[in-house]
């Protein structure tokens, strides 16, 4: 089996999972098997992420870089979501992140 590029792998992921709406998880071993690689760098993961973001998906890893997640990206501004959830003054439950002063 020949090694496939990040772009080829991201195309494969999008073709199979973009319409799912839930996302999927993959192990490092899954990616090695699917791509024909014995190992891969964080740069490879970044390249996959770049490619899938064009399809409103994100490809991220956990802190140990053993599990990887293809997840849908939702463009939902936080203020709009807060309004929907609390239906009152938008800023009543928001504390400023800048605590100087």
């Amino acid at each position: 089996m020949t090694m496939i590029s990040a772009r080829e792998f991201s195309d494969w992921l999008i073709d199979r999972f973009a319409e799912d709406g839930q996302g999927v998880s993959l192990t490092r071993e899954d990616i090695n098997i699917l791509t024909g690689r014995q190992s891969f760098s964080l740069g490879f993961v970044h390249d996959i992420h770049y490619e899938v973001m064009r399809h409103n998906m994100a490809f991220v890893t956990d802190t140990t870089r053993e599990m990887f997640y293809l997840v849908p990206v939702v463009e939902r501004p936080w203020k709009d979501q807060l309004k929907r959830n609390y239906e009152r003054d938008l800023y009543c439950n928001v504390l400023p992140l800048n605590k100087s002063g």
Side-chain angles (χ1 to χ4, degrees), residues 4-98:
I4 64 171
S5 69
R7 184 171 193 167
E8 291 169 313
F9 186 52
S10 64
D11 287 346
W12 184 87
L13 289 169
I14 292 299
D15 286 346
R16 283 152 184 85
F17 303 112
E19 299 299 319
D20 179 47
Q22 296 292 313
V24 294
S25 61
L26 300 100
T27 64
R28 177 173 285 279
E29 183 179 355
D30 293 334
I31 296 171
N32 287 341
I33 291 168
L34 291 168
T35 64
R37 295 169 179 267
Q38 291 182 356
S39 65
F40 55 89
S41 68
L42 193 54
F44 183 69
V45 175
H46 290 166
D47 290 346
I48 294 167
H49 175 74
Y50 175 82
E51 294 294 333
V52 300
M53 278 299 293
R54 297 181 305 125
H55 301 277
N56 296 320
M57 301 290 285
F59 190 74
V60 296
T61 184
D62 65 3
T63 56
T64 64
R65 298 186 186 144
E66 291 299 321
M67 290 296 299
F68 300 83
Y69 307 92
L70 178 70
V71 293
V73 174
V74 178
E75 191 169 318
R76 182 174 47 198
W78 69 273
K79 289 179 185 178
D80 295 343
Q81 186 62 26
L82 200 62
K83 281 182 192 175
R84 277 193 290 275
N85 286 345
Y86 294 101
E87 297 181 14
R88 55 182 181 259
D89 185 5
L90 173 63
Y91 298 103
C92 68
N93 288 329
V94 178
L95 299 176
L97 296 177
N98 182 355

